[in-house]
Amino acid sequence: MKALIIYYSQTGNTQKAARKIRDGLKTSGWEVYVSALKDTKAEDLDNYDLIGLGSPIWYEMTPNMRRFVESLPDQKGKPAFSFCTHGTMPDLYFPLVIPRLQRTGFTVLDWAAWYGDCSIQIFPEPYYTHGHPDAVDLQNAFEFGRSVGEKAAALLHGEHVDIPEAPMPDMMPMHANAAIEHLGGFHNVHGKLVRDADKCLYPKCHICVDNCTMGYIDYAAETPRFGSQGDCCDDCHGCTYCEMLCPVGAIHPEIPYEQAAPVGQDHGSQLFCTVLSKAEAEGRFRRLINFEDVGTKTPFYSVYPKHPRLRPLSTKEDNTEA
Ligand SMILES: Cc1cc2nc3c(=O)[nH]c(=O)nc-3n(C[C@H](O)[C@H](O)[C@H](O)COP(=O)(O)O)c2cc1C
Ligand code: SF4
Ligand code: SF4
């Protein structure tokens, strides 16, 4: 029995969950391979009996994971599971993602989500979900791996297992509408990103080319491309990964962070506190930081002013023994 876990992760939260699910799956008898999305090809899935797909929540699946899933051929009932990590607004992920996986032909056996710390330039640092995923979350990811592994094994052995129905969105539209109204939509709250070709070190450096979430930065093309439209990235669902990774600050937002930050800070904070307090009261969220200690006056970009703000994740330990 062979399982493949495919994940996308920028700051490591979803990668940590993927590795713990791997360990849990192994205890239920599975041989497991963990694969970062950019190293995964559609035909790889043919060699496995169970597929796990995980990403951070960016409203729903990250757009690169969505593109991958939608490019897959019919999976003809292949068992699968879904997982994610997220900040304050997880509600739409599974109601949108599970039907999409089902439309691709997967039999979705189970799904699970964990809170994760959030690194968005104009959002508070530390953020409300600071500290997640912690040891408790990761133990839970391990248990999830074990249980979905047991279920998938039973299915493969011809036993009856209950296949859950796709969840309905229960907190939408309140959360989605409030966020869209307050944060200006899920696209780039800070406007487009632009590249300063004079500062850029290409071809000596190609970090953004190698790591662009959507794989569309190409400075070697006849018309060099940063983003989907020439020198502006306007199709990235709020992603600023290239800006985070650039070692010399050659990528910057069209609207300076100083100008955009009050939107995220002032309007977002009340919404985030309300949503998380409700989740906490319902036992879905554990606060690991007092909300008074959240960096409402210190957005992420100001706490990490030096470039690069982030480094690409290493995948070296994705397949080492637990
Ligand atoms: C561009 C972007 C959009 C995001 N959108 C959401 C969202 O809609 N809902 C939410 O709960 N968290 C959102 N987050 C927070 C991430 O889902 C969360 O930080 C996640 O744990 C990051 O996972 P990673 O470390 O694997 O990249 C967003 C983060 C980024 C960078
Ligand atoms: S913001 Fe940067 S990394 Fe993200 S999709 Fe656009 S060009 Fe790629
Ligand atoms: S990461 Fe920065 S310096 Fe490197 S190629 Fe991209 S824009 Fe140029």
Side-chain angles (χ1 to χ4, degrees), residues 23 26 53 74 177 186 189 200 204 223-224 240 244 261 263 316 320:
D23 296 345
K26 284 185 178 178
L53 294 134
D74 184 358
N177 285 346
F186 286 95
V189 277
C200 174
K204 208 169 134 203
T223 309
T240 52
M244 295 273 206
V263 180
K316 263 199 335 221
T320 51

PDB file of all heavy atoms in Angstrom, residues 23 26 53 74 177 186 189 200 204 223-224 240 244 261 263 316 320:
ATOM      1  N   ASP A  23       3.960  10.436   9.167  1.00  0.00           N
ATOM      2  CA  ASP A  23       4.336   9.537  10.263  1.00  0.00           C
ATOM      3  C   ASP A  23       3.140   8.724  10.746  1.00  0.00           C
ATOM      4  O   ASP A  23       3.265   7.535  11.067  1.00  0.00           O
ATOM      5  CB  ASP A  23       4.940  10.347  11.421  1.00  0.00           C
ATOM      6  CG  ASP A  23       6.237  11.028  11.008  1.00  0.00           C
ATOM      7  OD1 ASP A  23       6.810  10.655   9.964  1.00  0.00           O
ATOM      8  OD2 ASP A  23       6.689  11.942  11.731  1.00  0.00           O
ATOM      9  N   LYS A  26       2.277   5.954   8.297  1.00  0.00           N
ATOM     10  CA  LYS A  26       3.216   4.819   8.364  1.00  0.00           C
ATOM     11  C   LYS A  26       2.814   3.840   9.457  1.00  0.00           C
ATOM     12  O   LYS A  26       2.964   2.627   9.299  1.00  0.00           O
ATOM     13  CB  LYS A  26       4.635   5.336   8.617  1.00  0.00           C
ATOM     14  CG  LYS A  26       5.274   5.942   7.379  1.00  0.00           C
ATOM     15  CD  LYS A  26       6.702   6.331   7.659  1.00  0.00           C
ATOM     16  CE  LYS A  26       7.354   6.902   6.407  1.00  0.00           C
ATOM     17  NZ  LYS A  26       8.733   7.332   6.640  1.00  0.00           N
ATOM     18  N   LEU A  53      -3.648  15.683  -0.328  1.00  0.00           N
ATOM     19  CA  LEU A  53      -3.368  16.988  -0.946  1.00  0.00           C
ATOM     20  C   LEU A  53      -3.542  18.074   0.113  1.00  0.00           C
ATOM     21  O   LEU A  53      -4.611  18.175   0.726  1.00  0.00           O
ATOM     22  CB  LEU A  53      -4.331  17.247  -2.104  1.00  0.00           C
ATOM     23  CG  LEU A  53      -4.150  16.283  -3.282  1.00  0.00           C
ATOM     24  CD1 LEU A  53      -5.475  15.754  -3.766  1.00  0.00           C
ATOM     25  CD2 LEU A  53      -3.411  16.958  -4.424  1.00  0.00           C
ATOM     26  N   ASP A  74      -9.151  12.152 -14.861  1.00  0.00           N
ATOM     27  CA  ASP A  74     -10.122  11.517 -13.965  1.00  0.00           C
ATOM     28  C   ASP A  74      -9.425  10.486 -13.079  1.00  0.00           C
ATOM     29  O   ASP A  74      -8.751   9.576 -13.583  1.00  0.00           O
ATOM     30  CB  ASP A  74     -11.193  10.837 -14.831  1.00  0.00           C
ATOM     31  CG  ASP A  74     -12.292  10.226 -13.993  1.00  0.00           C
ATOM     32  OD1 ASP A  74     -12.218  10.291 -12.745  1.00  0.00           O
ATOM     33  OD2 ASP A  74     -13.235   9.671 -14.605  1.00  0.00           O
ATOM     34  N   ASN A 177     -17.976  37.850   3.362  1.00  0.00           N
ATOM     35  CA  ASN A 177     -18.409  39.200   2.994  1.00  0.00           C
ATOM     36  C   ASN A 177     -17.683  40.246   3.811  1.00  0.00           C
ATOM     37  O   ASN A 177     -17.250  41.280   3.297  1.00  0.00           O
ATOM     38  CB  ASN A 177     -19.922  39.355   3.192  1.00  0.00           C
ATOM     39  CG  ASN A 177     -20.676  38.635   2.098  1.00  0.00           C
ATOM     40  OD1 ASN A 177     -20.085  38.257   1.098  1.00  0.00           O
ATOM     41  ND2 ASN A 177     -21.963  38.431   2.284  1.00  0.00           N
ATOM     42  N   PHE A 186      -9.763  39.391  -1.692  1.00  0.00           N
ATOM     43  CA  PHE A 186      -8.669  38.472  -1.365  1.00  0.00           C
ATOM     44  C   PHE A 186      -7.489  38.640  -2.310  1.00  0.00           C
ATOM     45  O   PHE A 186      -6.508  37.921  -2.247  1.00  0.00           O
ATOM     46  CB  PHE A 186      -9.165  37.027  -1.370  1.00  0.00           C
ATOM     47  CG  PHE A 186      -9.991  36.737  -0.166  1.00  0.00           C
ATOM     48  CD1 PHE A 186     -11.363  36.837  -0.196  1.00  0.00           C
ATOM     49  CD2 PHE A 186      -9.377  36.420   1.036  1.00  0.00           C
ATOM     50  CE1 PHE A 186     -12.111  36.593   0.927  1.00  0.00           C
ATOM     51  CE2 PHE A 186     -10.128  36.161   2.171  1.00  0.00           C
ATOM     52  CZ  PHE A 186     -11.502  36.246   2.116  1.00  0.00           C
ATOM     53  N   VAL A 189      -4.105  43.085  -1.109  1.00  0.00           N
ATOM     54  CA  VAL A 189      -4.574  44.248  -0.362  1.00  0.00           C
ATOM     55  C   VAL A 189      -3.631  45.440  -0.530  1.00  0.00           C
ATOM     56  O   VAL A 189      -3.987  46.565  -0.236  1.00  0.00           O
ATOM     57  CB  VAL A 189      -4.736  43.911   1.133  1.00  0.00           C
ATOM     58  CG1 VAL A 189      -6.068  43.250   1.362  1.00  0.00           C
ATOM     59  CG2 VAL A 189      -3.603  43.044   1.641  1.00  0.00           C
ATOM     60  N   CYS A 200      17.597  44.397  -9.713  1.00  0.00           N
ATOM     61  CA  CYS A 200      17.542  42.941  -9.833  1.00  0.00           C
ATOM     62  C   CYS A 200      18.897  42.347 -10.230  1.00  0.00           C
ATOM     63  O   CYS A 200      19.594  42.880 -11.086  1.00  0.00           O
ATOM     64  CB  CYS A 200      16.486  42.576 -10.875  1.00  0.00           C
ATOM     65  SG  CYS A 200      16.429  40.824 -11.237  1.00  0.00           S
ATOM     66  N   LYS A 204      22.429  36.271 -12.092  1.00  0.00           N
ATOM     67  CA  LYS A 204      23.203  35.742 -10.966  1.00  0.00           C
ATOM     68  C   LYS A 204      22.249  35.183  -9.886  1.00  0.00           C
ATOM     69  O   LYS A 204      22.517  34.158  -9.253  1.00  0.00           O
ATOM     70  CB  LYS A 204      24.053  36.864 -10.369  1.00  0.00           C
ATOM     71  CG  LYS A 204      25.318  36.400  -9.717  1.00  0.00           C
ATOM     72  CD  LYS A 204      26.220  37.579  -9.394  1.00  0.00           C
ATOM     73  CE  LYS A 204      26.738  37.423  -7.988  1.00  0.00           C
ATOM     74  NZ  LYS A 204      27.150  38.681  -7.387  1.00  0.00           N
ATOM     75  N   THR A 223       9.963  38.515 -24.162  1.00  0.00           N
ATOM     76  CA  THR A 223       9.463  39.655 -23.375  1.00  0.00           C
ATOM     77  C   THR A 223       9.542  39.221 -21.922  1.00  0.00           C
ATOM     78  O   THR A 223       8.718  38.443 -21.464  1.00  0.00           O
ATOM     79  CB  THR A 223       7.988  39.954 -23.737  1.00  0.00           C
ATOM     80  OG1 THR A 223       7.900  40.066 -25.150  1.00  0.00           O
ATOM     81  CG2 THR A 223       7.510  41.222 -23.067  1.00  0.00           C
ATOM     82  N   PRO A 224      10.592  39.689 -21.196  1.00  0.00           N
ATOM     83  CA  PRO A 224      10.754  39.222 -19.813  1.00  0.00           C
ATOM     84  C   PRO A 224       9.471  39.407 -19.010  1.00  0.00           C
ATOM     85  O   PRO A 224       8.783  40.420 -19.171  1.00  0.00           O
ATOM     86  CB  PRO A 224      11.875  40.122 -19.277  1.00  0.00           C
ATOM     87  CG  PRO A 224      12.626  40.545 -20.482  1.00  0.00           C
ATOM     88  CD  PRO A 224      11.623  40.649 -21.579  1.00  0.00           C
ATOM     89  N   THR A 240       2.801  37.413  -1.934  1.00  0.00           N
ATOM     90  CA  THR A 240       3.935  38.326  -2.124  1.00  0.00           C
ATOM     91  C   THR A 240       5.232  37.547  -1.905  1.00  0.00           C
ATOM     92  O   THR A 240       6.226  38.090  -1.434  1.00  0.00           O
ATOM     93  CB  THR A 240       3.873  39.492  -1.131  1.00  0.00           C
ATOM     94  OG1 THR A 240       3.737  38.937   0.174  1.00  0.00           O
ATOM     95  CG2 THR A 240       2.711  40.420  -1.417  1.00  0.00           C
ATOM     96  N   MET A 244       9.055  38.598  -0.608  1.00  0.00           N
ATOM     97  CA  MET A 244       9.618  38.071   0.645  1.00  0.00           C
ATOM     98  C   MET A 244      10.997  37.455   0.405  1.00  0.00           C
ATOM     99  O   MET A 244      11.889  37.549   1.239  1.00  0.00           O
ATOM    100  CB  MET A 244       8.710  36.971   1.204  1.00  0.00           C
ATOM    101  CG  MET A 244       7.351  37.442   1.636  1.00  0.00           C
ATOM    102  SD  MET A 244       7.421  38.011   3.327  1.00  0.00           S
ATOM    103  CE  MET A 244       5.727  37.765   3.831  1.00  0.00           C
ATOM    104  N   ALA A 261      -0.849  49.288   5.256  1.00  0.00           N
ATOM    105  CA  ALA A 261      -0.906  48.588   6.538  1.00  0.00           C
ATOM    106  C   ALA A 261      -2.108  48.974   7.401  1.00  0.00           C
ATOM    107  O   ALA A 261      -2.740  48.093   7.985  1.00  0.00           O
ATOM    108  CB  ALA A 261       0.391  48.810   7.312  1.00  0.00           C
ATOM    109  N   VAL A 263      -5.066  49.496   6.719  1.00  0.00           N
ATOM    110  CA  VAL A 263      -6.260  48.737   6.308  1.00  0.00           C
ATOM    111  C   VAL A 263      -6.249  47.379   6.999  1.00  0.00           C
ATOM    112  O   VAL A 263      -7.222  46.963   7.628  1.00  0.00           O
ATOM    113  CB  VAL A 263      -6.289  48.544   4.770  1.00  0.00           C
ATOM    114  CG1 VAL A 263      -7.524  47.751   4.354  1.00  0.00           C
ATOM    115  CG2 VAL A 263      -6.246  49.888   4.059  1.00  0.00           C
ATOM    116  N   LYS A 316      14.343  18.669   2.330  1.00  0.00           N
ATOM    117  CA  LYS A 316      15.253  17.540   2.640  1.00  0.00           C
ATOM    118  C   LYS A 316      14.666  16.520   3.611  1.00  0.00           C
ATOM    119  O   LYS A 316      14.889  15.327   3.474  1.00  0.00           O
ATOM    120  CB  LYS A 316      16.554  18.091   3.219  1.00  0.00           C
ATOM    121  CG  LYS A 316      17.619  18.213   2.159  1.00  0.00           C
ATOM    122  CD  LYS A 316      19.047  18.325   2.600  1.00  0.00           C
ATOM    123  CE  LYS A 316      19.367  18.844   3.930  1.00  0.00           C
ATOM    124  NZ  LYS A 316      20.517  19.753   3.967  1.00  0.00           N
ATOM    125  N   THR A 320      12.505  11.677   5.371  1.00  0.00           N
ATOM    126  CA  THR A 320      13.386  10.993   6.318  1.00  0.00           C
ATOM    127  C   THR A 320      12.524  10.285   7.357  1.00  0.00           C
ATOM    128  O   THR A 320      11.372  10.655   7.595  1.00  0.00           O
ATOM    129  CB  THR A 320      14.347  11.966   7.013  1.00  0.00           C
ATOM    130  OG1 THR A 320      13.573  13.044   7.530  1.00  0.00           O
ATOM    131  CG2 THR A 320      15.385  12.493   6.056  1.00  0.00           C
TER     132      THR A 320
END
